[in-house]
C-alpha cells in the first residue's frame, strides 16, 4: 500500500509539471494576442486616415486588399472558442477533484490511521515506521495539491482572459473588414491582367470546384447575414429589382 501512495504522489507531481508548462505557453499566447489586438487598433486608425485622401492609387488598393485578406477570421474564432469552452469544463472538473483530495488530507493523523487500518498490514510490520513514512508521503501530497490548485487557478484565469482578448480581436477584425469592404469598392485593388494571370487559371478552377471552399463561403455569408440582415435585405431587393427590370 505504500507503493500505491508513492505512485499517487508521482502522478500528481507530473500533473504539476504539465500545468506549469501549459501555463507558461498560455501566458505567452495571451501576450501575443494582446499585441495583435493593439496592432489591429493601430491598423484601423491608419486605414481610416488613408481613405480620407481623394487620390487612391492601385498600390494603395492592393495594400488594403492584402490587409483585408490577412485579417483574422470570425469563423476561426468561433471554432477555437468552442475548443476553449471544452477545455474550461475540463479544468473545472480537475479543480473539483483537487479540492476533494485536499479536503481528505485536512487531518493527516486520522487519514494515516484509516489507511493503515484498511491496508491489512501484517502484525509483524513496523507500524511506527510505516506511520511516519505514510505521514511524510501524505504531507508531501498535500503540498503538491496546494501548488496544483494555485496553478490551475492561474491557468483558468488566463484562459478566460484569452477568450476575452480573442473575442476583441475577432470583433475588431470584423469591423476593419467591413470598413475596408465599404471603401475598396470604389478603388482599384487589382493589377492589370497579364500572362501570369492566365497561368493561374487552373489553380482558380481548382478552387472553384473544391466543396470545402464553397462551404467556407456559405458559412461566412451566413455569419455576415446574421450580423447585418438589413444590409443584405436591401441588397437583395435592389438585385431583384434590377433583374426584373
Amino acid at each position: 500500500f505504500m507503493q500505491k501512495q508513492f505512485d499517487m504522489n508521482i502522478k500528481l507531481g507530473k500533473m504539476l509539471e504539465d500545468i506549469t508548462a501549459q501555463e507558461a505557453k498560455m501566458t505567452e499566447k495571451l501576450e501575443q494576442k494582446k499585441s495583435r489586438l493593439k496592432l489591429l487598433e493601430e491598423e484601423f486608425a491608419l486605414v481610416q486616415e488613408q481613405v480620407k485622401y481623394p487620390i487612391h492609387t492601385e498600390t494603395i488598393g492592393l495594400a488594403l486588399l492584402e490587409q483585408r485578406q490577412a485579417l483574422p477570421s470570425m469563423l476561426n474564432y468561433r471554432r477555437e472558442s468552442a475548443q476553449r469552452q471544452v477545455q474550461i469544463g475540463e479544468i473545472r472538473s480537475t479543480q473539483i477533484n483537487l479540492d476533494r483530495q485536499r479536503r481528505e488530507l485536512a487531518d493527516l493523523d486520522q487519514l494515516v490511521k484509516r489507511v493503515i487500518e484498511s491496508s491489512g498490514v501484517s502484525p509483524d510490520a513496523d507500524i511506527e515506521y510505516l506511520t511516519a513514512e505514510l505521514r511524510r508521503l501524505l504531507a508531501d501530497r498535500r503540498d503538491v495539491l496546494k501548488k496544483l490548485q494555485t496553478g490551475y487557478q492561474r491557468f483558468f484565469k488566463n484562459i478566460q482572459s484569452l477568450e476575452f482578448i480573442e473575442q476583441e480581436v475577432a470583433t475588431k477584425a470584423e469591423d476593419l473588414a467591413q470598413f475596408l469592404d465599404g471603401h475598396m469598392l470604389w478603388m482599384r485593388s487589382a493589377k492589370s491582367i497579364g500572362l501570369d494571370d492566365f497561368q493561374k487559371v487552373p489553380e482558380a478552377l481548382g478552387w472553384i470546384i473544391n466543396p470545402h471552399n464553397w462551404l467556407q463561403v456559405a458559412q461566412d455569408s451566413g455569419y455576415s447575414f446574421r450580423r447585418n440582415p438589413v444590409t443584405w435585405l436591401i441588397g437583395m431587393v435592389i438585385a431583384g429589382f434590377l433583374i426584373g427590370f
Side-chain angles (χ1 to χ4, degrees):
F1 75 96
M2 292 294 291
Q3 184 63 44
K4 181 180 179 181
Q5 299 299 326
F6 180 77
D7 290 342
M8 290 178 65
N9 282 16
I10 294 296
K11 182 179 179 181
L12 290 173
K14 290 181 178 178
M15 283 182 62
L16 182 58
E17 292 178 0
D18 290 342
I19 194 61
T20 301
Q22 291 182 52
E23 185 186 352
K25 291 181 180 179
M26 180 63 67
T27 301
E28 181 180 358
K29 187 173 184 180
L30 186 58
E31 291 302 317
Q32 290 174 349
K33 292 301 179 179
K34 287 180 180 179
S35 299
R36 185 70 178 100
L37 177 59
K38 183 179 179 181
L39 181 60
L40 269 176
E41 291 171 344
E42 293 173 351
E43 289 178 354
F44 203 163
L46 180 60
V47 168
Q48 288 174 319
E49 288 296 320
Q50 287 178 330
V51 299
K52 289 181 180 179
Y53 299 101
I55 301 177
H56 296 146
T57 65
E58 177 184 314
T59 302
I60 293 177
L62 286 170
L64 293 179
L65 179 60
E66 291 178 359
Q67 188 175 13
R68 170 68 175 85
Q69 293 173 339
L71 289 175
S73 167
M74 179 61 77
L75 183 63
N76 288 338
Y77 159 71
R78 292 199 299 270
R79 181 168 53 247
E80 292 176 0
S81 177
Q83 294 173 352
R84 278 192 294 272
Q85 295 307 316
V86 173
Q87 191 175 14
I88 286 174
E90 293 173 347
I91 293 172
R92 291 299 299 149
S93 177
T94 301
Q95 286 179 313
I96 292 172
N97 185 37
L98 292 176
D99 290 342
R100 177 187 58 78
Q101 291 187 62
R102 194 173 177 194
R103 284 196 302 270
E104 292 175 352
L105 293 168
D107 190 336
L108 288 182
D109 291 333
Q110 287 294 327
L111 182 58
V112 168
K113 181 179 179 181
R114 189 166 63 250
V115 170
I116 289 180
E117 289 177 350
S118 63
S119 65
V121 178
S122 171
D124 299 331
D126 188 343
I127 301 299
E128 185 177 345
Y129 171 78
L130 290 176
T131 299
E133 284 298 301
L134 180 58
R135 183 182 177 81
R136 181 183 62 79
L137 285 173
L138 295 179
D140 290 345
R141 184 181 305 168
R142 187 167 59 183
D143 291 340
V144 174
L145 283 169
K146 182 179 179 180
K147 294 177 182 178
L148 271 172
Q149 285 180 308
T150 302
Y152 270 95
Q153 286 171 358
R154 288 196 301 262
F155 189 69
F156 185 78
K157 182 179 179 180
N158 283 342
I159 199 172
Q160 286 185 314
S161 298
L162 179 63
E163 174 66 19
F164 176 77
I165 294 295
E166 286 274 32
Q167 185 177 17
E168 289 287 301
V169 169
T171 301
K172 181 63 68 174
E174 189 70 15
D175 292 341
L176 178 54
Q178 291 189 353
F179 183 83
L180 288 171
D181 290 344
H183 287 80
M184 286 192 303
L185 182 64
W186 311 108
M187 67 177 66
R188 184 174 180 178
S189 57
K191 298 178 180 179
S192 301
I193 297 177
L195 181 61
D196 291 341
D197 296 295
F198 291 103
Q199 294 175 343
K200 295 178 181 178
V201 168
E203 181 181 348
L205 291 176
W207 189 98
I208 291 174
I209 63 176
N210 189 333
H212 175 76
N213 293 328
W214 287 106
L215 177 62
Q216 180 80 34
V217 170
Q219 290 173 334
D220 289 343
S221 299
Y223 174 76
S224 178
F225 180 81
R226 290 190 297 272
R227 184 178 174 90
N228 298 290
V230 176
T231 303
W232 273 80
L233 290 174
I234 293 175
M236 287 188 286
V237 169
I238 294 175
F241 174 78
L242 293 175
I243 293 173
F245 182 77

